[in-house]
Amino acid sequence: MHAFILIWFGQLVSLIGSGLTGFAVGVTILQASGSVTQYGFVVLATMLPAILLAPFVGPLVDRWDRRRVMILSDTGAGLGSLAIAALFFFGYVRVWAICLAAAVGSSFSAFQWPAYAAATTMLVPKEHLGRANGMVQLAQALGQLVYPALAGFLVARIAVWGVIMIDFATFLFAALTLLCVRIPNPPRSTENPQEAGSLWREFVYGLRYLAVRRGLLGMMGLFVALNFLMGFINMLVAPLVLAFASPQVLGTMMTVAGSGMLVGGLVMSIWGGPRRRIYGVLGFLALSGVFIALGGVRPSVYLATCAGFGFFFCVPFVMAAGQAIWQSKVAPDVQGRVFATQRMMAIAGPVSMLLAGPLADHVFEPLLAVGGPLAGSIGRVIGVGKGRGVGLMFILLGLLTILTTVAGYLYPHLRRVEVELPDICTAEALTPGNS
């Protein structure tokens, strides 16, 4: 796993750099304009390209050398950051220009995840895939814990463009680590047609690949539902906590809660997950639903912090075990298409984020306002007033997460996905002649 660890370290450094840019640019736009809407435009510019380009990214990842794809991705994303730094350096701080530069960088970054996940399959033996994906989750947790404090320190001492230049340097470092390793090319499998078609046809082939493998299709549906539910949670955490605590307490609470992901990622990277990985996915997903619901029961900082820690602790197990199943069951030479399809389905998250605000403001908050329709029933248990409608949403989201898990378990093709589908050739089976 030495080559994987070197790539992992480079991507960790790059992830922290990207967090620095996101924090610095976001704070600057919010302070300069006072507009959450303008800030939202920048956030969408960094998210949507990866989703919209998925039909084209996956086939290209399967066609091209994956190490070169990752180097191209890091270099292009770095140039996008460099363009944003230039805008701040020359004082041309226009939201449309920042969005354009962010979208260009994000378009290159769209190649990163499918290529990274597919390359991991070629570098890591199947018995270590759970561990490797645990390390990926650990890197994300480390990045989320490190960059807010570091960015806050740097923004107060150097110009925004200087912070972004650090991000550019981290992209170059990640590309340099890739130059130091060799990633074997996947052998052509019988699953991959020899004929070269259009990018759209190859993307559709990736969909057909899943359609005939009901266990993987069930996993796709499970994670689409999970993304949809998580979009609500991401949007509603701040309104839930700010109803009974200050912004400073919210920041501290999120740091403590987020450390649960660090602990979970560390445990998963050492343990590797259960032998039947699907049980790890379903078990920890159900447990996360319990913690989501717990966070909405009472307006308490301690309760919300413990619930958040428990939720984030579960996330690495769900994501790492799930990704290990994909990597061990999907033929290596079509993984780019399949993993890009995964990423495209993440659009369920932004959709629910758009729904969360109106539902909270116009439906659930009025229900549990003082004298509201549910004040005399549910309100007697969870309280009434500001934020209690959002608390009810958290309880319902937790219950829906548990019900989604139960539905997944009751679907036999999903429950038996590791039995019904054979393992594909991974790193341990490759010889120099395959590369």
Side-chain angles (χ1 to χ4, degrees), residues 196-328:
S198 67
L199 293 179
W200 180 255
R201 282 181 58 193
E202 291 192 38
F203 171 72
V204 172
Y205 168 78
L207 295 176
R208 291 201 307 267
Y209 185 93
L210 293 175
V212 298
R213 292 162 176 80
R214 296 182 180 179
L216 294 180
L217 193 63
M219 279 195 63
M220 180 74 77
L222 181 72
F223 279 91
V224 169
L226 180 60
N227 277 322
F228 186 75
L229 295 172
M230 292 307 106
F232 281 104
I233 293 170
N234 289 335
M235 285 295 292
L236 296 174
V237 165
L240 175 75
V241 177
L242 291 177
F244 56 83
S246 67
Q248 292 76 18
V249 171
L250 172 64
T252 302
M253 190 203 81
M254 290 302 297
T255 298
V256 175
S259 65
M261 189 171 179
L262 177 66
V263 176
L266 183 61
V267 172
M268 185 63 183
S269 64
I270 297 172
W271 174 34
R275 186 178 63 86
R276 288 288 297 275
R277 290 169 176 146
I278 191 62
Y279 291 156
V281 173
L282 296 173
F284 281 99
L285 184 56
L287 184 59
S288 73
V290 174
F291 286 117
I292 293 169
L294 186 64
V297 171
R298 299 298 299 172
S300 164
V301 171
Y302 298 106
L303 182 63
T305 302
C306 292
F309 183 92
F311 169 76
F312 281 112
F313 177 80
C314 294
V315 168
F317 298 96
V318 175
M319 303 305 294
Q323 190 60 33
I325 293 174
W326 286 101
Q327 289 167 324
S328 61

Side-chain angles (χ1 to χ4, degrees), residues 331-352:
D333 52 338
V334 300
Q335 285 188 359
R337 276 162 279 188
V338 173
F339 294 159
T341 303
Q342 272 185 295
R343 181 53 58 93
M344 187 181 71
M345 296 304 174
I347 197 170
V351 169
S352 61

Side-chain angles (χ1 to χ4, degrees), residues 362-434:
H362 303 298
V363 179
F364 285 92
E365 282 291 288
L367 287 175
L368 282 171
V370 177
L374 298 181
S377 53
I378 296 177
R380 292 181 178 273
V381 180
I382 68 173
V384 297
K386 185 179 180 181
R388 288 296 77 209
V390 176
L392 176 59
M393 292 181 73
F394 266 78
I395 294 172
L396 294 177
L397 288 168
L399 294 176
L400 285 173
T401 301
I402 296 171
L403 289 175
T404 300
T405 306
V406 172
Y409 180 81
L410 293 177
Y411 182 58
H413 295 292
L414 174 59
R415 187 175 67 249
R416 294 176 53 80
V417 62
E418 294 172 273
V419 177
E420 293 182 353
L421 296 179
D423 286 345
I424 50 86
C425 171
T426 57
E428 63 196 358
L430 291 174
T431 63
N434 296 124

Side-chain angles (χ1 to χ4, degrees), residues 150-233:
L150 183 59
F153 175 82
L154 292 173
V155 167
R157 286 161 178 79
I158 62 177
V160 175
W161 66 266
V163 176
I164 302 173
M165 288 302 297
I166 295 175
D167 180 24
F168 177 70
T170 66
F171 279 119
L172 294 183
F173 178 80
L176 180 63
T177 61
L178 288 163
L179 290 173
C180 298
V181 301
R182 185 181 65 86
I183 301 175
N185 292 320
R188 183 171 291 275
S189 69
T190 56
E191 307 293 348
N192 195 4
Q194 297 286 338
E195 54 190 344
S198 67
L199 293 179
W200 180 255
R201 282 181 58 193
E202 291 192 38
F203 171 72
V204 172
Y205 168 78
L207 295 176
R208 291 201 307 267
Y209 185 93
L210 293 175
V212 298
R213 292 162 176 80
R214 296 182 180 179
L216 294 180
L217 193 63
M219 279 195 63
M220 180 74 77
L222 181 72
F223 279 91
V224 169
L226 180 60
N227 277 322
F228 186 75
L229 295 172
M230 292 307 106
F232 281 104
I233 293 170

